Amino acid sequence: MSLMLPAQLPAGTTSLPPLGGRLLAAYRLMWWPLLFSALAAVAWSWIEPATSTEILVLRLMKSVVLVTVSTILFRRRGRDPVAAMLSLAFLLWISSSSFDFAAASVWAALVDRCRFLLFALALLLFPNGEWRPGWTRPTALIIVATFLLGIAEAVGLLSSSFYLPVAIACVLAALAALSQRYRSIEAGAQKQQLKWVTLGLVVGIALILSARAGAELAAGRTMPVIGSVAIEGLFQLGIIVLSLGFLTSLLRFRLYDAEAAISRSAAYAGLTLALVGTFAASETIIQTLGQRYFGAGVGDLSGAIAAAIAAVLLTPLHSRISDWAERHFQHELALFKQELPDLLLTLSAGASVKRLANSVLPRIEQAVQSTRAALLVDKRLVAAQGIDVAAARRLLNSWRPPETEEPVGRDDDEAFPLHMALRCPLGGIRGWLLLGPRPDGSYYGKDDVEALTAIAPSLQRTLFQVVEREREEGRRMADNRELRSALGLVSARLSALERLR
């Protein structure tokens, strides 16, 4: 496994180089035997089953996902050193989870130590293999030392039991490096990658810890099959979510949906905890008071009454928790929906159409993270954002307004894939808001479209109010010019008559 990392980095090196030459050959040479070993371990677990069929099915599902993730990383990110370490770690994870650790197998322990080394180093250097912050280098050396300590304990050279707590500390240090790296970089693709992997890590670790807690609570007790399957399901689902978080981040798939995914996950988790807490508290209070005043028979109804209370609170809890999650995890979008109507109200008093557009388009671009935006009124380009007006005109030469009744729609045009119709008070479409793709080339998410739909009424009302005011002012100025011209002619004629006298 040590072939994956250079023995010594050149002075001034800030990141791991792409795999090439012997390193790439060594990676490919290791990947295929590890794949066959993982598949053989899964097959052997079915030939000589040590647990129930239901649990074997769950482990098989996890193995299929990990093999798929590893294969995609191998094929799509073959020269990325971080992706290579994760690909090998996931294959080793399949093999190590197929052994019975209770039997104290030396081979199982060795495989697990190798998996720790690759996974911890990949986590420490994620996503681009950069040695940032500065203390990641000594941390990497500590991870390697911990790996050697684990090997020594596994083969019996040392009788200590320090490996597990030190390994956990190394993983926590890698997570701390990930957090510090996230806070130190500017907004962009790398920050979105870190958001996706953070979501996978948080949800995955939470599921794994929940499974471990359930197993500890059930220790020494007779548990029904459904309980064991539920605990195993939580554990395997945690590993699946964790691996998919890494895969989504490294492939840069829909990077700019990370905030929406985090917001929804937080909302669902909060809603689940709130409903479970409400049900448990209500059942306990109803059962206690009912038995005190109405006898023991009322205890049978406590569960039904508690469930009814939780059902009644479902809608208000969902609304409040969703709003809280959006404010915290989609701050720019929430601020956009809250502040833009007030800004439009202020601008409606005396701003020109151009000033209105130049004030609104940057806020739309920032909120939905578009690469460019353009505003058309009465078939005329009023303003552009993220692209100069001349270039926008060239891109719009071939654009034709779609025949659709939808307020926000998707277009096949690569330059401006999203269009939003702007209707005048009489209902006719007189303007278009056009948005380019997001920085990763993907289309907008559901939350982005809903935010644009939410601000559409105030935007079109203010826009056409300003347009009509400008037209009225233009007509008034034209009338004044004509009047001044007419008065000038009359004055000139009167002057001429005076001279004739």
Side-chain angles (χ1 to χ4, degrees), residues 110-122:
L110 293 176
V111 170
D112 184 66
R113 272 42 168 188
C114 293
R115 191 261 309 165
F116 158 76
L117 173 67
L118 293 169
F119 183 79
L121 287 174

Side-chain angles (χ1 to χ4, degrees), residues 423-496:
R423 298 178 180 273
C424 68
L426 298 178
I429 298 177
R430 289 183 53 190
W432 294 93
L433 173 66
L434 305 178
L435 297 181
R438 294 190 289 190
D440 62 346
S442 63
Y443 187 68
Y444 298 89
K446 178 183 176 182
D447 293 345
D448 300 319
V449 174
E450 288 178 352
L452 292 171
T453 305
I455 60 97
S458 56
L459 175 59
Q460 54 198 17
R461 181 173 58 249
T462 303
L463 175 63
F464 294 115
Q465 179 182 340
V466 172
V467 168
E468 292 305 317
R469 189 185 69 240
E470 274 196 351
R471 286 189 174 181
E472 183 62 32
E473 290 176 354
R475 285 193 291 267
R476 192 182 307 116
M477 291 176 65
D479 292 343
N480 289 338
R481 284 194 300 270
E482 290 179 2
L483 181 60
R484 284 195 298 269
S485 177
L487 289 174
L489 289 173
V490 171
S491 178
R493 289 177 181 178
L494 288 174
S495 298

Side-chain angles (χ1 to χ4, degrees), residues 1 14 27 45 54 68 113 120 124 127 138 188 254 273-274 289 333 338 356 360 379 397 417 421 434 473-474 497:
M1 300 301 168
T14 59
Y27 167 48
S45 68
E54 293 83 358
T68 303
R113 272 42 168 188
L124 181 69
R254 299 198 66 86
L273 291 174
L289 295 178
L333 207 60
Q338 179 182 347
L356 173 69
V360 170
K379 300 181 181 180
N397 282 337
L434 305 178
E473 290 176 354
L497 289 174

Side-chain angles (χ1 to χ4, degrees), residues 346-385:
T346 303
L347 293 171
S348 65
S352 64
V353 174
K354 190 170 185 62
R355 183 189 170 196
L356 173 69
N358 289 335
S359 299
V360 170
L361 289 184
R363 287 171 170 81
I364 293 176
E365 182 186 51
Q366 182 180 8
V368 301
Q369 303 182 82
S370 64
T371 52
R372 64 182 76 95
L375 181 64
L376 280 70
V377 177
D378 295 330
K379 300 181 181 180
R380 180 174 63 90
L381 179 63
V382 174
Q385 176 69 25

Side-chain angles (χ1 to χ4, degrees), residues 243-292:
S243 65
L244 292 178
F246 280 107
L247 179 66
T248 304
S249 178
L250 286 171
L251 294 184
R252 301 191 175 194
F253 177 73
R254 299 198 66 86
L255 284 181
Y256 291 85
D257 285 338
E259 291 88 351
I262 293 171
S263 177
R264 288 196 187 99
S265 299
Y268 291 147
L271 182 62
T272 301
L273 291 174
L275 290 176
V276 170
T278 300
F279 175 82
S282 301
E283 185 182 32
T284 302
I285 293 172
I286 293 169
Q287 191 170 12
T288 302
L289 295 178
Q291 288 178 352
R292 177 177 296 180

